Structures are given as C-alpha cells and as structure tokens.
Amino acid sequence: MTRSASRPQRRTQEQRSSEMRVRLLDATIDCLVEYGYAGTTTPRVAERAGVTRGAQVHHFGSKNDLVVAAISHLAQRRTEAAIQELGRVNAGDDPLGAALDFLWELHQGPLFIAAMELWVAGRADPVLAAALEKVEPFVNNAVLMAVSQLVPDDVRRKEVRDFAYTAMDTLRGILVSNFVSPDPERALRRWHRASAHLRRAAAAALPGLDGSR
C-alpha cells in the first residue's frame, strides 16, 4: 500500500460546509419536536448541533433563514421516509388495509410533529407559508406514488389519490387532537374506527381494493 493510499482523504471545504448545514438543519428539526416552533431558537439549535453560535450565524444568519432551509430538508427526509416505509409493507390480499397501515405508520414519529409545527407557524408567516407551499406537493406526490404501488393496476388512479388524501386528512386530524392530551392507544382506536368508515367508502368508490379479491 502506498503512503498516499494509506492516508484518509481530507474533506474539502465544500464538504465540511455541507455537513455543517445538515447538522444544523437536523438540529432544527429536533428542536421543533422538543420545544415547538416558538421555542426553537438559534442558540438552542447551535447547542443541539454542537457548533458555535458564530458557525451557526455563518451558515444561517437568522432563525427565519434556518427554518426556511429546514422546511426543504424536512421535506426530503419525509420523502425518504415514505420510500423506506413502503419497503416494509406487504400488500398481500388486502391492499386497502396495507395502504391504510402505511399511511398511519408514515405519520408516526418526530418528522410529522416537526411538519405540524411548521404548518401551524406558516399560518401567520407568509415567508414560511411560501416555502411550505413549494415543497409539500413533492412530499404528497411521493406518498401518493407509494400508495399507488399497493393497489391493483386496474384500479383508477384518481380515485386512489382522492382516497389517500381523505385518509391523510382523517389521520392528521386524529393525531393533532392527540397533541392536546397524548394517548397513543386512544389515537390508534380512533384511527381503527375511522379506517372502518374509510373501508366502507372505498368499497363503493374502489371496487377490488377492499380486500374481497
């Protein structure tokens, strides 16, 4: 082995800068989950990322700059999560049940909580709202494409898309209400009850997707 080959390659300045940005953006998401949007401050993000305030300011001059960048970073992570979760799903003889389970599992955990914090904050902040409006369609498309892979090819895609949106609207409402008085078991019971109604609606709108095949 040559001497040059035995040495680990030094990272370039661009690589170090990119890694620093990712650390700060991941820390921002963590802070959104732990402290909420109002409690996500630049000093807290810098501390969570393990960097100095000066380094944080160098990459993101303000909280607004940091959060706007975190919106795109979070959208990428949510999209990747949809692809990974799909890999764990087995549609079997009940594609509808698999799709409902997929959507529920996809909305568990910190990424959804962080997204909710940003959605609510965007209501009164036009800059955040504009940033969210740009990325949410990409996340939704990834989820819809994943759901479409669970259903038979002869099922109409528009109806599948409408069903997925209705299911997401339902489960997001359940999860948001659960933030007030957290009870995971109660939330799951509500989702099972809602799923029964969704199944009945799908039986009429999406024949062949209700597990009767």
Side-chain angles (χ1 to χ4, degrees):
M1 181 179 293
T2 65
R3 184 170 180 175
S4 60
S6 64
R7 293 178 180 173
Q9 289 189 339
R10 295 182 63 182
R11 294 174 301 164
T12 65
Q13 178 60 37
E14 183 178 358
Q15 288 173 325
R16 290 196 297 270
S17 178
S18 177
E19 290 170 3
M20 178 71 74
R21 287 176 62 88
V22 170
R23 284 171 62 184
L24 286 164
L25 296 175
D26 283 339
T28 302
I29 294 172
D30 290 343
C31 287
L32 286 167
V33 174
E34 185 169 349
Y35 304 111
Y37 176 75
T40 297
T41 63
T42 50
R44 274 178 169 165
V45 170
E47 181 181 5
R48 178 62 65 93
V51 305
T52 65
R53 285 279 288 121
Q56 175 261 302
V57 172
H58 173 74
H59 289 280
F60 302 102
S62 67
K63 174 181 175 176
N64 209 52
D65 294 337
L66 186 60
V67 173
V68 167
I71 287 172
S72 295
H73 185 63
L74 177 60
Q76 180 179 349
R77 288 186 57 183
R78 290 166 61 204
T79 300
E80 292 169 352
I83 297 172
Q84 292 172 0
E85 185 62 35
L86 179 63
R88 291 190 283 268
V89 174
N90 180 15
D93 296 327
D94 185 12
L96 178 58
L100 291 170
D101 289 344
F102 164 76
L103 291 173
W104 176 258
E105 292 300 327
L106 189 61
H107 286 75
Q108 306 304 304
L111 295 184
F112 173 69
I113 296 173
M116 283 300 309
E117 289 291 332
L118 293 170
W119 294 345
V120 173
R123 184 190 68 82
D125 188 321
V127 175
L128 295 186
L132 288 162
E133 188 177 9
K134 289 180 181 179
V135 302
E136 284 301 317
F138 293 100
V139 180
N140 288 335
N141 284 339
V143 175
L144 294 174
M145 288 179 62
V147 170
S148 70
Q149 294 185 45
L150 298 173
V151 304
D153 291 337
D154 57 338
V155 174
R156 290 169 294 182
R157 297 303 174 184
K158 181 182 183 303
E159 283 76 5
V160 171
R161 183 181 69 244
D162 291 345
F163 172 80
Y165 272 122
T166 300
M168 284 194 292
D169 290 342
T170 302
L171 69 88
R172 287 171 178 176
I174 291 171
L175 292 173
V176 170
S177 66
N178 195 56
F179 290 158
V180 178
S181 177
D183 185 339
E185 292 184 1
R186 180 183 60 198
L188 185 58
R189 288 196 303 271
R190 289 177 174 175
W191 172 240
H192 286 161
R193 182 177 63 202
S195 294
H197 290 284
L198 289 167
R199 279 181 173 277
R200 285 195 287 271
L206 297 167
L209 190 62
D210 59 356
S212 60
R213 287 188 170 189

